Amino acid sequence: MPEDKEDRRYRAPALEKGLDILELLANESEPVTLTGIVNRLGRSHGELFRMVQVLEFRGYIEQDPASDGYRVSDRLFSLGMQQPRMRNLIEVALPVMRQLTLSLGQSCHLALHSRGEMVVVARMESSEQLGFSVRVGYRRPLSKAASGAVLYAFQPDDVRERWERLFDPPLTEEELAQFRAHASEIRERQVEMAPSQFVAGVTDISAPVMRGGSAAAALTVPFLKKLQQSLTPREAIVQVREAAQRISEQLVEGDSRV
C-alpha cells in the first residue's frame, strides 16, 4: 500500500513527475498528447514539457506520428527482462516450449504477474501453418485470463492480498469471492482449462511454473479448435502440465547453482 505523502522521509519531485507520466501512459490504450498529460496530471505545461522530452530522448516513451500523442515504449520491459532470474526463466522455458508446440501443433506462451495483471514475456509459435498466438507484452487483468488465475492460485495468502489491492478496476465483493473460489479449484487440479474470454474457438490451458513454493510464471496453450484435430484439449492438458513441471525442475536446479 502506498505510503502517506506526509510520512515519507525523502522526496524527489522531478523523479515523481517522470514516474507519474510513465504510469499515466502505461494505463492508456491510446497515445496521449502533451496537453492531455498536463490536464490529467493537473500540472502546468512548463512543469512537464522538458520531462516529456527527456523521457522521449532516453527511449522510455515514444511519439505517435499520426496523433502527436505519446505512449510508453518497451524499454522498461526490456530492462526487466535483463534481470538474471528473468533471463534464466526464459532461457530454461524456451526449449521446453518449442518441444510442446511441436508435440501439440499449437502455440504457447509464458506469462508473469505485473501490477495486478498477467503479462506475456515469451511465446512460441505453432509448428503448423494454422495457429493462434499471443504477442509478447500482451496484458490482461489476472481475473480475466487463464494465466492470471493460475498465477494467483499458486501464491501465499499475503501475496494474494497484495495483488488484490492492485486490481484496476477493483472487483466487487461478489466477484472477488468467485475469483478466490475459482483459484482454489485450480490449485486442487493443478491446471486451468477454460474457453477464452476474448477469442471464439480457443480453449486456454494453463499450468503453473513453480519456484520456491509459488508460481513464478504460467505456461499457457491457447488451444485452437481445428476441423482435423489430432488431440483434444483434455488430452493436451497432460502435456502442458508436464512441460510446466520440466521448467520448474530446471529452475530449482539453476537456483541451487547460484
Side-chain angles (χ1 to χ4, degrees):
M1 184 175 294
E3 294 179 278
D4 188 283
K5 291 184 178 180
E6 299 302 319
D7 293 337
R8 291 186 303 175
R9 184 175 178 183
Y10 302 110
R11 290 191 176 91
L15 174 60
E16 291 183 356
K17 291 176 190 175
L19 294 175
D20 286 343
I21 294 170
L22 290 173
E23 290 177 355
L24 169 66
L25 296 180
N27 288 319
E28 295 294 329
S29 57
E30 299 293 334
V32 183
T33 63
L34 176 58
T35 299
I37 294 172
V38 167
N39 292 337
R40 296 188 198 190
L41 293 181
R43 295 182 180 274
S44 71
H45 189 281
E47 279 185 287
L48 299 185
F49 174 76
R50 284 189 293 179
M51 188 67 65
V52 167
Q53 297 302 307
V54 171
L55 287 172
E56 183 182 16
F57 177 76
R58 295 293 296 268
Y60 288 96
I61 64 176
E62 57 191 14
Q63 193 166 27
D64 176 37
S67 66
D68 288 333
Y70 292 91
R71 60 192 172 208
V72 291
S73 69
D74 62 357
R75 180 165 173 75
L76 284 174
F77 181 80
S78 299
L79 289 174
M81 292 300 100
Q82 294 176 27
Q83 289 293 306
R85 285 172 68 89
M86 188 66 66
R87 288 204 310 270
N88 184 43
L89 169 61
I90 295 176
E91 288 170 358
V92 166
L94 286 177
V96 179
M97 293 168 65
R98 183 175 295 108
Q99 185 58 48
L100 182 62
T101 60
L102 290 171
S103 178
L104 295 180
Q106 303 275 348
S107 70
C108 66
H109 57 266
L110 196 70
L112 308 180
H113 166 263
S114 173
R115 299 175 60 197
E117 298 179 322
M118 53 72 67
V119 57
V120 175
V121 298
R123 72 173 182 178
M124 190 63 62
E125 299 283 356
S126 166
S127 59
E128 299 185 358
Q129 291 186 340
L130 178 64
F132 174 82
S133 64
V134 178
R135 66 177 174 81
V136 172
Y138 176 83
R139 307 176 72 96
R140 276 290 180 267
L142 293 181
S143 61
K144 301 295 183 181
S147 297
V150 166
L151 288 167
Y152 175 89
F154 294 88
Q155 301 298 329
D157 291 342
D158 61 326
V159 174
R160 286 190 183 190
E161 291 174 5
R162 186 166 69 249
W163 288 7
E164 289 169 3
R165 293 195 292 269
L166 297 172
F167 291 171
D168 185 21
L171 299 183
T172 65
E173 290 186 9
E174 181 179 358
E175 290 171 336
L176 185 56
Q178 291 175 349
F179 183 54
R180 288 170 174 169
H182 183 60
S184 296
E185 294 172 0
I186 294 173
R187 194 177 183 98
E188 285 184 15
R189 60 177 179 258
Q190 299 290 301
V191 71
E192 167 71 318
M193 185 179 77
S196 170
Q197 297 187 41
F198 302 98
V199 182
V202 170
T203 299
D204 291 325
I205 303 171
S206 186
V209 173
M210 304 296 289
R211 174 189 250 156
S214 61
L219 176 64
T220 303
V221 169
F223 195 96
L224 179 65
K225 183 178 180 181
K226 303 175 185 177
L227 294 180
Q228 295 181 337
Q229 196 83 280
S230 58
L231 287 174
T232 67
R234 291 198 173 277
E235 291 171 329
I237 280 179
V238 176
Q239 295 192 40
V240 175
R241 288 179 59 180
E242 290 177 348
Q245 179 62 31
R246 287 199 299 275
I247 298 171
S248 301
E249 291 170 352
Q250 292 181 63
L251 284 180
V252 172
E253 292 173 2
D255 290 345
S256 67
R257 291 196 293 269
V258 175

